[in-house]
Short mmCIF file of all heavy atoms in Angstrom, two decimals:
data_model
loop_
_atom_site.label_atom_id
_atom_site.label_comp_id
_atom_site.label_asym_id
_atom_site.label_seq_id
_atom_site.Cartn_x
_atom_site.Cartn_y
_atom_site.Cartn_z
N TYR A 1 40.47 -49.31 92.59
CA TYR A 1 41.00 -50.47 91.94
C TYR A 1 39.91 -51.44 91.67
O TYR A 1 39.94 -52.02 90.52
CB TYR A 1 42.03 -51.12 92.86
CG TYR A 1 42.47 -52.48 92.53
CD1 TYR A 1 43.65 -52.66 91.51
CD2 TYR A 1 41.89 -53.59 92.99
CE1 TYR A 1 43.90 -54.00 91.23
CE2 TYR A 1 42.33 -54.94 92.44
CZ TYR A 1 43.39 -55.09 91.70
OH TYR A 1 43.76 -56.25 91.28
N ASN A 2 39.06 -51.79 92.63
CA ASN A 2 38.01 -52.64 92.35
C ASN A 2 36.87 -52.18 91.47
O ASN A 2 36.25 -52.92 90.77
CB ASN A 2 37.38 -53.14 93.72
CG ASN A 2 38.43 -54.23 94.31
OD1 ASN A 2 38.54 -55.30 93.78
ND2 ASN A 2 38.71 -54.06 95.58
N PHE A 3 36.68 -50.81 91.37
CA PHE A 3 35.83 -50.21 90.50
C PHE A 3 36.26 -50.34 89.02
O PHE A 3 35.60 -50.66 88.16
CB PHE A 3 35.57 -48.78 90.88
CG PHE A 3 34.54 -48.14 90.02
CD1 PHE A 3 33.15 -48.28 90.31
CD2 PHE A 3 34.88 -47.49 88.72
CE1 PHE A 3 32.11 -47.78 89.40
CE2 PHE A 3 33.92 -46.91 87.89
CZ PHE A 3 32.50 -47.09 88.27
N TRP A 4 37.63 -50.14 88.87
CA TRP A 4 38.21 -50.47 87.44
C TRP A 4 37.81 -51.89 87.03
O TRP A 4 37.44 -52.14 85.90
CB TRP A 4 39.67 -50.22 87.52
CG TRP A 4 40.07 -48.81 87.09
CD1 TRP A 4 40.48 -47.77 87.81
CD2 TRP A 4 40.07 -48.32 85.81
NE1 TRP A 4 40.68 -46.71 87.16
CE2 TRP A 4 40.55 -46.97 85.83
CE3 TRP A 4 39.68 -48.81 84.53
CZ2 TRP A 4 40.59 -46.12 84.72
CZ3 TRP A 4 39.73 -47.97 83.39
CH2 TRP A 4 40.17 -46.74 83.50
N ALA A 5 37.94 -52.84 87.95
CA ALA A 5 37.67 -54.23 87.65
C ALA A 5 36.19 -54.28 87.25
O ALA A 5 35.84 -55.00 86.21
CB ALA A 5 37.98 -55.10 88.84
N SER A 6 35.35 -53.66 87.91
CA SER A 6 33.98 -53.72 87.64
C SER A 6 33.64 -53.03 86.31
O SER A 6 32.86 -53.54 85.51
CB SER A 6 33.16 -52.89 88.66
OG SER A 6 33.26 -53.52 89.96
N VAL A 7 34.17 -51.93 85.97
CA VAL A 7 33.83 -51.25 84.68
C VAL A 7 34.37 -51.96 83.42
O VAL A 7 33.78 -52.19 82.42
CB VAL A 7 34.26 -49.78 84.63
CG1 VAL A 7 35.69 -49.59 84.58
CG2 VAL A 7 33.53 -48.91 83.68
N LEU A 8 35.52 -52.57 83.69
CA LEU A 8 36.19 -53.51 82.49
C LEU A 8 35.45 -54.75 82.26
O LEU A 8 35.12 -55.19 81.19
CB LEU A 8 37.63 -53.71 82.92
CG LEU A 8 38.59 -52.61 82.74
CD1 LEU A 8 39.98 -52.99 83.17
CD2 LEU A 8 38.48 -51.86 81.47
N LYS A 9 34.79 -55.23 83.49
CA LYS A 9 33.99 -56.41 83.32
C LYS A 9 32.70 -56.06 82.58
O LYS A 9 32.21 -56.77 81.77
CB LYS A 9 33.80 -57.02 84.69
CG LYS A 9 32.82 -58.28 84.70
CD LYS A 9 32.50 -58.81 86.18
CE LYS A 9 31.62 -59.98 86.08
NZ LYS A 9 31.40 -60.52 87.47
N LEU A 10 32.08 -54.90 82.95
CA LEU A 10 30.83 -54.53 82.31
C LEU A 10 31.12 -54.23 80.80
O LEU A 10 30.23 -54.75 79.94
CB LEU A 10 30.36 -53.11 82.89
CG LEU A 10 29.05 -52.62 82.38
CD1 LEU A 10 27.93 -53.46 82.81
CD2 LEU A 10 28.92 -51.21 82.87
N ARG A 11 32.18 -53.74 80.43
CA ARG A 11 32.49 -53.52 79.04
C ARG A 11 32.47 -54.87 78.24
O ARG A 11 32.04 -54.97 77.07
CB ARG A 11 33.89 -52.94 79.00
CG ARG A 11 34.37 -52.62 77.49
CD ARG A 11 35.68 -51.80 77.57
NE ARG A 11 36.16 -51.49 76.21
CZ ARG A 11 36.92 -52.34 75.55
NH1 ARG A 11 37.38 -53.45 76.02
NH2 ARG A 11 37.32 -52.02 74.28
N LYS A 12 32.92 -55.91 78.98
CA LYS A 12 32.93 -57.36 78.18
C LYS A 12 31.61 -57.97 78.29
O LYS A 12 31.27 -58.64 77.29
CB LYS A 12 34.06 -58.18 78.81
CG LYS A 12 35.49 -57.71 78.46
CD LYS A 12 36.50 -58.74 79.02
CE LYS A 12 37.87 -58.33 78.37
NZ LYS A 12 38.94 -59.28 78.78
N THR A 13 30.99 -57.66 79.35
CA THR A 13 29.60 -58.32 79.45
C THR A 13 28.66 -57.80 78.43
O THR A 13 27.84 -58.63 77.84
CB THR A 13 29.10 -57.96 80.95
OG1 THR A 13 29.77 -58.52 81.90
CG2 THR A 13 27.68 -58.70 81.03
N TYR A 14 28.76 -56.45 78.14
CA TYR A 14 27.95 -55.90 77.12
C TYR A 14 28.86 -55.51 75.88
O TYR A 14 28.91 -54.40 75.54
CB TYR A 14 27.15 -54.75 77.74
CG TYR A 14 26.15 -55.03 78.62
CD1 TYR A 14 26.45 -55.20 80.03
CD2 TYR A 14 24.81 -55.22 78.30
CE1 TYR A 14 25.57 -55.56 80.99
CE2 TYR A 14 23.83 -55.62 79.30
CZ TYR A 14 24.15 -55.71 80.51
OH TYR A 14 23.31 -56.09 81.51
N VAL A 15 29.58 -56.47 75.37
CA VAL A 15 30.54 -56.20 74.45
C VAL A 15 29.94 -55.54 73.16
O VAL A 15 30.55 -54.61 72.51
CB VAL A 15 31.40 -57.45 74.04
CG1 VAL A 15 30.38 -58.53 73.34
CG2 VAL A 15 32.62 -57.19 73.20
N ASP A 16 28.75 -56.01 72.70
CA ASP A 16 28.19 -55.45 71.49
C ASP A 16 27.86 -53.92 71.73
O ASP A 16 28.20 -53.16 70.80
CB ASP A 16 26.86 -56.10 71.13
CG ASP A 16 27.04 -57.51 70.46
OD1 ASP A 16 28.16 -57.82 70.04
OD2 ASP A 16 26.13 -58.22 70.48
N ILE A 17 27.46 -53.54 72.87
CA ILE A 17 27.08 -52.24 73.15
C ILE A 17 28.40 -51.30 73.20
O ILE A 17 28.62 -50.35 72.58
CB ILE A 17 26.17 -51.94 74.29
CG1 ILE A 17 24.89 -52.58 74.16
CG2 ILE A 17 26.01 -50.43 74.64
CD1 ILE A 17 23.93 -52.58 75.34
N PHE A 18 29.27 -51.81 74.18
CA PHE A 18 30.30 -50.84 74.65
C PHE A 18 31.58 -50.97 73.83
O PHE A 18 32.48 -50.13 73.81
CB PHE A 18 30.69 -51.03 76.10
CG PHE A 18 29.54 -50.65 77.00
CD1 PHE A 18 28.94 -51.57 77.90
CD2 PHE A 18 29.08 -49.33 77.00
CE1 PHE A 18 27.87 -51.08 78.77
CE2 PHE A 18 28.01 -48.86 77.78
CZ PHE A 18 27.34 -49.86 78.70
N VAL A 19 31.72 -52.06 73.07
CA VAL A 19 32.82 -52.22 72.09
C VAL A 19 32.48 -51.85 70.66
O VAL A 19 33.09 -51.06 70.03
CB VAL A 19 33.51 -53.60 72.17
CG1 VAL A 19 34.60 -53.66 71.22
CG2 VAL A 19 33.97 -53.86 73.65
N TYR A 20 31.31 -52.40 70.28
CA TYR A 20 31.03 -52.20 68.88
C TYR A 20 29.74 -51.23 68.53
O TYR A 20 29.42 -51.06 67.44
CB TYR A 20 30.61 -53.62 68.26
CG TYR A 20 31.86 -54.48 68.35
CD1 TYR A 20 31.91 -55.60 69.25
CD2 TYR A 20 32.94 -54.22 67.48
CE1 TYR A 20 33.01 -56.50 69.27
CE2 TYR A 20 34.12 -55.04 67.52
CZ TYR A 20 34.15 -56.13 68.41
OH TYR A 20 35.20 -56.96 68.38
N GLY A 21 29.16 -50.64 69.59
CA GLY A 21 28.08 -49.74 69.42
C GLY A 21 28.60 -48.46 68.93
O GLY A 21 29.71 -48.06 69.12
N ASN A 22 27.56 -47.59 68.34
CA ASN A 22 27.97 -46.27 67.98
C ASN A 22 27.91 -45.32 69.18
O ASN A 22 27.49 -45.77 70.26
CB ASN A 22 27.01 -45.79 66.82
CG ASN A 22 25.63 -45.41 67.34
OD1 ASN A 22 25.21 -45.76 68.46
ND2 ASN A 22 24.96 -44.69 66.50
N TYR A 23 28.32 -44.09 68.97
CA TYR A 23 28.45 -43.10 70.04
C TYR A 23 27.68 -41.91 69.70
O TYR A 23 27.74 -41.47 68.52
CB TYR A 23 29.98 -42.67 70.19
CG TYR A 23 30.24 -41.74 71.22
CD1 TYR A 23 30.87 -42.00 72.50
CD2 TYR A 23 30.09 -40.34 70.93
CE1 TYR A 23 31.17 -41.02 73.40
CE2 TYR A 23 30.47 -39.34 71.80
CZ TYR A 23 30.91 -39.61 72.99
OH TYR A 23 31.35 -38.67 73.91
N GLU A 24 26.98 -41.47 70.63
CA GLU A 24 26.17 -40.13 70.45
C GLU A 24 26.29 -39.32 71.70
O GLU A 24 25.84 -39.66 72.75
CB GLU A 24 24.70 -40.50 69.93
CG GLU A 24 23.92 -39.25 69.62
CD GLU A 24 22.66 -39.59 69.13
OE1 GLU A 24 22.28 -40.71 68.88
OE2 GLU A 24 21.79 -38.55 68.89
N ALA A 25 26.71 -38.08 71.44
CA ALA A 25 26.74 -37.15 72.56
C ALA A 25 25.35 -36.68 73.11
O ALA A 25 24.44 -36.63 72.24
CB ALA A 25 27.63 -35.88 72.28
N VAL A 26 25.22 -36.57 74.38
CA VAL A 26 24.06 -36.08 75.00
C VAL A 26 24.32 -34.84 75.81
O VAL A 26 25.27 -34.73 76.46
CB VAL A 26 23.46 -37.19 75.82
CG1 VAL A 26 22.22 -36.76 76.66
CG2 VAL A 26 23.09 -38.53 75.20
N ASP A 27 23.44 -33.82 75.69
CA ASP A 27 23.65 -32.56 76.40
C ASP A 27 25.11 -32.04 76.03
O ASP A 27 25.77 -31.61 77.09
CB ASP A 27 23.41 -32.71 77.89
CG ASP A 27 23.02 -31.49 78.56
OD1 ASP A 27 23.03 -30.41 77.91
OD2 ASP A 27 22.74 -31.54 79.75
N ARG A 28 25.31 -31.88 74.85
CA ARG A 28 26.73 -31.64 74.37
C ARG A 28 27.25 -30.32 74.93
O ARG A 28 28.46 -30.17 75.21
CB ARG A 28 26.58 -31.49 72.82
CG ARG A 28 28.04 -31.12 72.20
CD ARG A 28 27.79 -31.02 70.66
NE ARG A 28 27.52 -32.29 69.94
CZ ARG A 28 26.35 -32.78 69.62
NH1 ARG A 28 25.30 -31.93 69.70
NH2 ARG A 28 26.32 -33.82 68.94
N ASP A 29 26.40 -29.29 75.15
CA ASP A 29 26.92 -27.95 75.52
C ASP A 29 26.97 -27.74 77.00
O ASP A 29 27.46 -26.77 77.48
CB ASP A 29 25.93 -26.89 74.98
CG ASP A 29 25.96 -26.88 73.45
OD1 ASP A 29 26.98 -27.21 72.88
OD2 ASP A 29 24.91 -26.57 72.89
#
């Protein structure tokens, strides 16, 4: 429960990266 609070807070703290940044797979296979 408290980890969910932490990860959602991180998403907002780094909103440019985690909300508006692009996505690239790493070690896809």
Side-chain angles (χ1 to χ4, degrees):
Y1 169 87
N2 281 305
F3 185 83
W4 267 105
S6 296
V7 75
L8 292 178
K9 181 180 179 181
L10 183 69
R11 182 176 180 269
K12 287 188 173 180
T13 302
Y14 292 87
V15 66
D16 284 346
I17 297 176
F18 293 120
V19 177
Y20 297 110
N22 76 343
Y23 176 104
E24 185 174 355
V26 177
D27 206 350
R28 179 182 290 105
D29 297 328

